[in-house]
Amino acid sequence: MSIQATRYSLGGDEHLFVELSEAMSLKSFFKGMMMTRALREKNLLGITEICPANASFQIRFDPDMLSVQHIISVLKDIEAGLGEQDMCLDTRIVEIPVLYNDPWTHETLMRFRERHQDPSSTDIEYATRINGFKDVADFISAHSQTPWFVSMVGFVAGLPFMFQMVEQQKQIQVPKYLRPRTDTPKHTVGHGGCFSCIYSVRGAGGYQMFGVTPLPIYDPKQRVTHLSEFMIFFKPGDIVKYKPITRTEYDQILVELSNNSYRLKSKPVTFSLNAFEQEPIAYPQQLLEALYVD
């Protein structure tokens, strides 16, 4: 997959926006990750923030200390140095339990049916139908059996955007609501376009709602073990495996979280973009196997 020529544009006096592609792909995401990582390693005096996104990134800088022309020159040198090398990332794969078809998102979606493309069905039934799955169980299996790549964290504090690691023609795609809801339960597993997400807080939203996870993914008070190092759980580059659970399992996890005995399943992995592009079916499954090997 080719990527368009990189575009540079100013956002006021202190921000440089770098667009790598108009469409999301793992290749454009990895290019952005490698460019921003190399830029951080240079420790240029005057750069105050670097924020990666799905197919772009933004840099905040002090124009009294560093010219935008110099930043662009450095970035062009970094980009030229990438060449055709294999883009690898040392990251982690994590298992996220999900109660699909839960009562809380169901109650919410029923309150906003007039804003939906298909008021006669639920969000997950609608997604099942337009993606050509035979039934909801088949859809849940497809949604949970392949890994998802966290390409961006933000918009709302701690909210991850995730890209399904399958061939493009097999990606689950669902439009957002016709008009956004004014309410979405915290920890809702949503989907809009080709992106999955987990709502980190309760609030407005327009993504289709498939279920909820019991796991907190954002907590400024850092009250659970998996948030002890930082208040935001997800990082760009994380690989996510959704695990369907029952209501009983959901309630049990809440109990374990309350007494801090729950242990999230996570393993370090090295992701190779070349390996994924060469074996888009077998390679993600190899990554998933690593999650369950002691």
Side-chain angles (χ1 to χ4, degrees):
M1 178 184 294
S2 62
I3 301 179
Q4 70 182 36
T6 302
R7 294 201 292 240
Y8 298 89
S9 56
L10 280 170
D13 295 331
E14 299 182 352
H15 294 86
L16 174 65
F17 179 67
V18 184
E19 184 181 27
L20 302 170
S21 174
E22 293 181 349
M24 169 60 195
S25 69
L26 284 178
K27 191 167 186 176
S28 59
F29 166 78
F30 263 81
K31 184 176 181 180
M33 285 286 287
M34 297 191 77
M35 288 180 68
T36 54
R37 181 171 61 186
L39 183 63
R40 285 192 186 95
E41 290 172 353
K42 289 185 178 296
N43 291 316
L44 293 182
L45 193 64
I47 290 181
T48 57
E49 293 181 72
I50 302 174
C51 181
N54 296 319
S56 62
F57 56 91
Q58 186 164 268
I59 298 165
R60 186 178 184 183
F61 64 98
D62 184 341
D64 293 327
M65 301 176 66
L66 186 64
S67 73
V68 68
Q69 292 81 7
H70 182 65
I71 300 173
I72 293 174
S73 175
V74 170
L75 287 171
K76 286 183 176 180
D77 287 343
I78 290 172
E79 183 177 9
L82 294 179
E84 295 300 318
Q85 63 178 292
D86 185 13
M87 298 185 184
C88 292
L89 179 68
D90 290 329
T91 183
R92 61 179 176 172
I93 183 167
V94 296
E95 181 183 82
I96 302 297
V98 178
L99 177 59
Y100 290 90
N101 270 329
D102 67 282
W104 306 284
T105 59
H106 181 79
E107 185 277 332
T108 303
L109 66 87
M110 294 305 294
R111 282 192 279 124
F112 293 97
R113 293 329 283 165
E114 80 283 357
R115 306 186 184 206
H116 197 272
Q117 293 86 347
D118 184 1
S120 64
S121 68
T122 65
D123 291 9
I124 201 167
E125 289 170 345
Y126 172 68
T128 296
R129 177 171 58 80
I130 69 171
N131 282 278
F133 293 100
K134 64 180 180 181
D135 53 33
V136 170
D138 193 32
F139 176 85
I140 292 173
S141 178
H143 189 269
S144 61
Q145 287 186 0
T146 58
W148 297 76
F149 204 95
V150 177
S151 59
M152 174 181 167
V153 179
F155 185 72
V156 174
L159 187 153
F161 290 85
M162 291 174 268
F163 189 74
Q164 193 175 19
M165 292 172 60
V166 295
E167 298 163 289
Q168 187 172 5
Q169 65 271 24
K170 294 182 180 180
Q171 287 177 351
I172 294 171
Q173 299 203 41
V174 191
K176 295 187 288 186
Y177 273 46
L178 297 174
R179 290 185 293 128
R181 300 177 303 275
T182 56
D183 189 24
T184 307
K186 182 171 64 174
H187 303 157
T188 290
V189 175
H191 202 101
C194 65
F195 287 104
S196 178
C197 80
I198 301 175
Y199 285 77
S200 53
V201 296
R202 183 177 182 177
Y207 277 24
Q208 308 285 337
M209 298 182 290
F210 298 158
V212 294
T213 177
L215 296 185
I217 61 172
Y218 165 69
D219 181 11
K221 296 183 179 179
Q222 298 176 251
R223 290 167 291 192
V224 294
T225 301
H226 63 274
L227 293 175
S228 60
E229 294 184 2
F230 191 54
M231 68 179 71
I232 292 172
F233 177 68
F234 287 108
K235 299 184 289 290
D238 281 345
I239 298 172
V240 172
K241 166 65 170 67
Y242 289 128
K243 178 187 177 183
I245 59 173
T246 64
R247 176 61 189 273
T248 299
E249 290 172 315
Y250 178 93
D251 291 340
Q252 179 59 35
I253 291 174
L254 289 182
V255 171
E256 294 175 6
L257 286 166
S258 69
N259 60 31
N260 235 349
S261 64
Y262 182 79
R263 295 296 177 263
L264 183 142
K265 189 178 288 293
S266 174
K267 289 290 180 66
V269 293
T270 297
F271 180 84
S272 162
L273 181 61
N274 282 4
F276 173 75
E277 291 182 330
Q278 292 169 10
E279 297 184 287
I281 298 176
Y283 184 65
Q285 292 305 310
Q286 292 174 16
L287 295 175
L288 291 181
E289 290 172 5
L291 184 61
Y292 303 108
V293 173
D294 293 328

